[in-house]
Structure formats: C-alpha cells, structure tokens
Amino acid sequence: MTILSSVAARRAQAVGLAVVTCLTAVPTAFASAFPAPAPAAAEPTPGAGLDRYYRQRLDWGSCVLGPDDTTGRELEKAGAQCADMTVPLDYADPRGRTITVAISRLKATDARRRVGPLLINFGGPGGAALGEPPTIRRAMQDVGARYDIIGMDPRFVGRSTPLDCHWPVGHSVFSAGLSRAGFDRQVALHKELAAKCRATNASVLPHVSTRNTARDMDVIRGSLGERKLSYLGYSYGSYLGTVYTQMFPGRHDRVVLDGAPDPRRYHPRLMRGVERENERALADWALWAAKRHAAYGLGRTRAHVLATVDRVVEASARGLTLGTAPDVFRVDDTQVPTLIFGGISEDTDSARAAVGEQLSVMSRAAKGQPTRLSTEFKEYLKAVLTGGNSPTGSVQTAVLCGDVAAPRDPERYWRDIERSRAAHPLFGPLTNNIGPCAFWDRPREEPTAVRQDAPALIVSATGDPRTPHTGAVALRGLLPSSRLITLKGANQHGVYGSYGSTCVDEQVNAYLATGELPANDRTCVKQTG
C-alpha cells in the first residue's frame, strides 16, 4: 500500500519532497543581512476578530466536482464529504480579504469509542491531502474507525483558493550542472521564476507561509466544534505539525510526525547536508541494479553501475534527447541530477525498478541511441520539466521563501557549489544551488521557535535521503515528552502506512488507539525477504 494515490504520483512528488530534506541552520552571515521580521507573537484567541471563522458552519456535501473527478468519486465511495472553509488571507486583518481552504471528512464509524478529528498532511510544501482519508483509514486498520479523518488542501493548494505563477517548469529544484555556464543559466531561471510569482501573485505571496497554514488548521478545529485536534504529518508536514504544537499549545491531542526535520534547520536551502545520505541511497540502488544487469544493462557490479551514472551525467552536459515524437524531452546536466535525486527517496523494489528503467533510457541516450519512454517516466519528465506541475512548484517555493529569507548574492551559492564538488560531485551542485528565494521579498514573520514541550510520536528511517534521521533525533531532544520510533536499515522517506513495516505501523496505531506514548524510544528493523 502506498500513501500517495499511485507510484507515478509518488515519484512525481519525490522532487518536491526533496525540498524538505536535510536541513542546516540558517547562517548568521546572511540572516543578519535582512531587516528582522516582526517577532512571532502569541496567537489570538477566537474572540480577537476571528469569531466568524472559528464559528462558521461548514456546508458538507459531495466531493465530486464533475464526471472526470477520480478523487471525488473515491472519496464519495468511501463515504467522505467535502466542504470549503473560509479563512482570512491575512490573520492580522480578519475583516479583510478572505480565501477558501478545501477539506474532506471521513467520519468515525465507531461512535462509542470516537477519539475526535485527525488532520493529515503529506508535506511538499504544497502537497494536497484532501483525497487521502480513505488511504489513511486503511493504514490505521481498526483504530481508523474511531476518528473523523480530515483531509486538507492547504491554502493555495489543489481545490483551495489557487496560486499559480505560470512557470515553464514544475518545481525549482535543479542542479548547477558541471560548469559555470550551467550555474549562470540557473541564476537566470530562478530570477525569472521569482519574477513570475511577483507579477502574478504579489498580493498573496506575503501570506503564503507555514504559520498561516497552522492558523488555518486551528480554524478547522474550531469550525468542527472540537476542543483538540489530532494530527498525522509526513516530511514537511512534520514541520507543519511541530509549528502547530508551538503556536497552539493545549489544542492538539495525538500527534504523529513521520520523516521529521530539525525545525531549527528549516530554511530555503533545505538540502544542504543531505549529500551523504543520497550517495548511500544511490550506492544501495546501484547494488540492486547490478544484480539485474540483464534487465537494465547498467553494469554487473555496483562500481560499474555508478560509473554508468557518471557517464550519463557527463554526456548530459552536451544534452540528451529522451523519447520519441510527440513526447520528446531534451535534458541537460542541470536536470539529470534532479531526476536521479528524485528517484532515490525510497528503497522499495517498485521505486528502484523505476530508477533502473529511467537510467537505462538515459544511458542509451548518452550513447546516441533512440529511446522509448514508459508512461511513468514520461509523466515524471512532464511533472519536472514542463509547466504542467507549475501550481505545486509555485506554492512549494512560496511557502519556503515566505518562511525564512535566503542569501541574495549568487556568488555565495557558486562558492558553496565549488567547495562541494570534490567530495560530492553529483549531489553537491544540486544541494547548494541557487533558487527563487534569492530573489524573493523578505518574510513577514520570523520562523517558529520550538520552546514548548509537546508529547508527539516521531517516526524516522536511519537512511532517509530527504529528512535525515539526525533531524528526527534533534526534534526528539526539543520535545522531551515525545518518543522516537527508528526504522533501521531503510533508505526511506515516509514510513508509517506506506513502507510495510509491521513494527512501525503497529506502534503508531497503538498510540493512536490509546493516546499513550511508548515508555521509551523504540527501534524497528527493516523487513527483508
């Protein structure tokens, strides 16, 4: 069972999830280069001009928007209903402009033992979760019947009030490539992406932030008439959940944070520092592929497969042509590392097979041979390289840039890239590359500091290539009442309900059933065979 609706959807979002990856502290050298935003103040009570939002009556109805609405039909089949909730664009001006946040609800069927609402978030930032309550209920097994499972498309995502900068690409995570020329192209691209967002959405960009999404979550709680809200978040969703516990202490019940980052190291340059985890994941995949040389033709040993990867990247500096008309894609050395990076966020056989097929295609292209694309690879390329996924990439970037400021000077990024090449030639130019936040307006608020304890259950795999295990350990230290479930031996981003670890799933479900955290941190081992 997968958490996302399909393997293709999961892979297409893998690059997006990469944005919530290994986090490094915001360097003081550039933090001081910006005027300090307003300090984070205590959140207002529902009586501070927000009553009409907290007390609004939700008009629950069908989730189906039209004959081609697969998500709506699946929700309806499961018995879920949907509603549009009204929230202020700017919580400092509750009588001003409003937007909508789309939510779904799969009501508890075990009314006698009902716990309350469980809100879910799949990360991104910018990931939609309105359609996921049926999948989460299956993951929760028997305990799922005791919760009203709430799916949410966060502000400006999916069915909520939309934001789209009309980008020519689907996201903003690319490599600097092998040369200064590649980096200069990246600077121009990201300056263009930021300019497009400013030109199309200047009035809302200041209000696209994690703190405002957390405020929307509390309005959901209030509009449901609930005193407390339980929460399940993956990846960036774990950061969002952590922020909620800090902004609204006492209003959360059972909290599960899967693939959690260190909140002190959350900022636009999220990927700096994940090079070793991704090199390990790539090496493990290469060993897997070597055992299947007959299928993929990439090499009979791990070293040979990794050498093939290097040759593909080197050849891409001259450009690779993938596919046949009408679906032809031209990729270069700023894009190929991103495709590889996006493919190694999990170590299931299905994910590894997808990477094998893709690198097999790119290897043939590097030799000048014609190539054919599978449907999955074609959709993945479209999601990354064309504007079809522009809304997701736009919101993801707007949240990151709206949360924490980034360095402005392109030369700083170039120096970091050059320093990283010797030790990390493939991933260093990607993790240190410039992005649109270098050209963004500064955030309205400071990021949330974790100063309050919160009893949460944190889940992490030791080889997570996106949000490294060190981040989960750090969050465990910041929340003394929390507990950590560690899955050893897996290069996996997102574990509960999706990876097939009975050990992890049973412990999470036990917590959701009883509300009692384990007495101590627990360790599970990756199941093999």
Side-chain angles (χ1 to χ4, degrees):
M1 180 177 63
T2 60
I3 285 295
L4 296 180
S5 301
S6 68
V7 173
R10 189 186 187 99
R11 299 243 328 114
Q13 290 194 24
V15 174
L17 293 173
V19 176
V20 288
T21 176
C22 174
L23 317 173
T24 52
V26 181
T28 56
F30 75 83
S32 60
F34 295 87
E43 286 307 300
T45 64
L50 297 172
D51 299 54
R52 70 184 179 108
Y53 302 106
Y54 274 87
R55 297 176 182 174
Q56 65 185 291
R57 180 175 178 177
L58 297 177
D59 185 16
W60 294 102
S62 174
C63 297
V64 180
L65 298 183
D68 298 325
D69 183 9
T70 302
T71 297
R73 288 201 306 274
E74 290 177 351
L75 285 166
E76 187 169 70
K77 182 178 178 181
Q81 291 185 307
C82 292
D84 287 334
M85 183 183 71
T86 302
V87 297
L89 172 67
D90 181 357
Y91 276 85
D93 182 19
R95 292 179 176 82
R97 179 178 171 184
T98 63
I99 58 174
T100 60
V101 172
I103 59 176
S104 60
R105 179 177 64 179
L106 187 57
K107 295 188 72 172
T109 56
D110 187 349
R112 184 176 63 86
R113 297 189 298 164
R114 179 181 177 274
V115 175
L118 173 73
L119 181 69
I120 56 178
N121 183 280
F122 278 20
L130 180 135
E132 302 303 336
T135 304
I136 293 299
R137 175 159 287 179
R138 289 192 294 271
M140 294 171 71
Q141 300 179 6
D142 293 344
V143 72
R146 298 175 56 191
Y147 284 86
D148 293 343
I149 304 176
I150 309 297
M152 172 180 69
D153 284 355
R155 56 172 49 204
F156 307 114
V157 173
R159 297 189 184 187
S160 298
T161 298
L163 184 154
D164 184 2
C165 299
H166 302 291
W167 284 355
V169 292
H171 68 93
S172 60
V173 182
F174 293 103
S175 173
L178 301 180
S179 67
R180 177 69 197 218
F183 174 70
D184 289 342
R185 292 198 305 274
Q186 286 293 299
V187 172
L189 169 66
H190 293 297
K191 188 173 183 179
E192 175 193 2
L193 298 182
K196 283 182 176 293
C197 281
R198 192 174 292 109
T200 57
N201 292 278
S203 64
V204 301
L205 289 181
H207 311 292
V208 189
S209 69
T210 297
R211 288 179 63 83
N212 278 332
T213 301
R215 293 177 177 114
D216 295 343
M217 288 168 53
D218 201 57
V219 173
I220 291 175
R221 178 199 59 77
S223 64
L224 293 174
E226 299 287 348
R227 189 172 63 88
K228 291 189 175 183
L229 183 70
S230 293
Y231 181 79
L232 167 63
Y234 294 85
S235 190
Y236 163 82
S238 288
Y239 175 72
L240 172 62
T242 301
V243 169
Y244 183 78
T245 68
Q246 301 303 299
M247 293 178 66
F248 300 99
R251 302 184 199 177
H252 52 86
D253 187 5
R254 303 167 198 187
V255 176
V256 179
L257 308 174
D258 191 328
D262 180 347
R264 298 167 302 185
R265 300 187 171 197
Y266 168 85
H267 59 85
R269 304 189 74 186
L270 292 172
M271 289 179 293
R272 297 185 69 202
V274 295
E275 297 87 4
R276 287 185 176 85
E277 285 83 359
N278 281 275
E279 287 163 354
R280 185 185 311 121
L282 182 62
D284 289 349
W285 167 81
L287 180 61
W288 180 93
K291 297 176 181 178
R292 295 160 178 80
H293 176 71
Y296 304 113
L298 298 172
R300 299 183 184 278
T301 67
R302 172 161 41 193
H304 289 158
V305 173
L306 292 174
T308 298
V309 172
D310 290 341
R311 285 195 296 272
V312 167
V313 175
E314 290 169 4
S316 70
R318 300 182 295 275
L320 301 180
T321 301
L322 308 179
T324 55
D327 298 307
V328 178
F329 300 86
R330 185 75 173 170
V331 297
D332 63 24
D333 55 329
T334 67
Q335 298 160 335
V336 167
T338 298
L339 298 174
I340 297 169
F341 186 81
I344 57 174
S345 63
E346 54 185 296
D347 63 7
T348 61
D349 279 347
S350 60
R352 285 177 163 175
V355 178
E357 184 264 333
Q358 292 162 18
L359 271 163
S360 181
V361 168
M362 289 191 285
S363 178
R364 291 197 296 274
K367 299 172 184 175
Q369 299 172 358
T371 59
R372 297 183 63 85
L373 305 177
S374 67
T375 299
E376 180 183 322
F377 193 17
K378 181 172 62 178
E379 293 305 312
Y380 183 36
L381 289 166
K382 285 181 179 179
V384 174
L385 303 177
T386 75
N389 205 39
S390 170
T392 299
S394 300
V395 177
Q396 179 185 87
T397 302
V399 172
L400 288 167
C401 302
D403 281 344
V404 186
R408 295 287 193 186
D409 184 7
E411 294 307 312
R412 174 171 185 151
Y413 295 89
W414 178 246
R415 289 192 297 269
D416 290 341
I417 289 164
E418 289 294 272
R419 279 194 293 265
S420 72
R421 283 192 196 274
H424 311 292
L426 176 58
F427 294 124
L430 186 152
T431 59
N432 289 276
N433 196 23
I434 198 168
C437 296
F439 308 99
W440 218 262
D441 294 339
R442 69 177 181 86
R444 287 285 184 92
E445 297 182 87
E446 289 185 350
T448 304
V450 177
R451 296 191 176 97
Q452 307 213 35
D453 192 10
L457 188 60
I458 305 167
V459 180
S460 176
T462 54
D464 188 334
R466 295 295 173 267
T467 50
H469 184 60
T470 52
V473 173
L475 180 60
R476 168 70 176 88
L478 292 172
L479 304 175
S481 296
S482 67
R483 295 293 182 268
L484 174 62
I485 300 177
T486 298
L487 177 62
K488 293 183 66 175
N491 302 323
Q492 178 70 20
H493 183 61
V495 178
Y496 168 66
S498 66
Y499 192 58
S501 172
T502 302
C503 176
V504 170
D505 293 352
E506 287 182 349
Q507 291 186 74
V508 172
N509 285 338
Y511 166 63
L512 292 172
T514 65
E516 297 180 5
L517 291 165
N520 302 294
D521 294 341
R522 300 291 179 87
T523 299
C524 299
V525 178
K526 177 184 175 180
Q527 298 167 214
T528 58

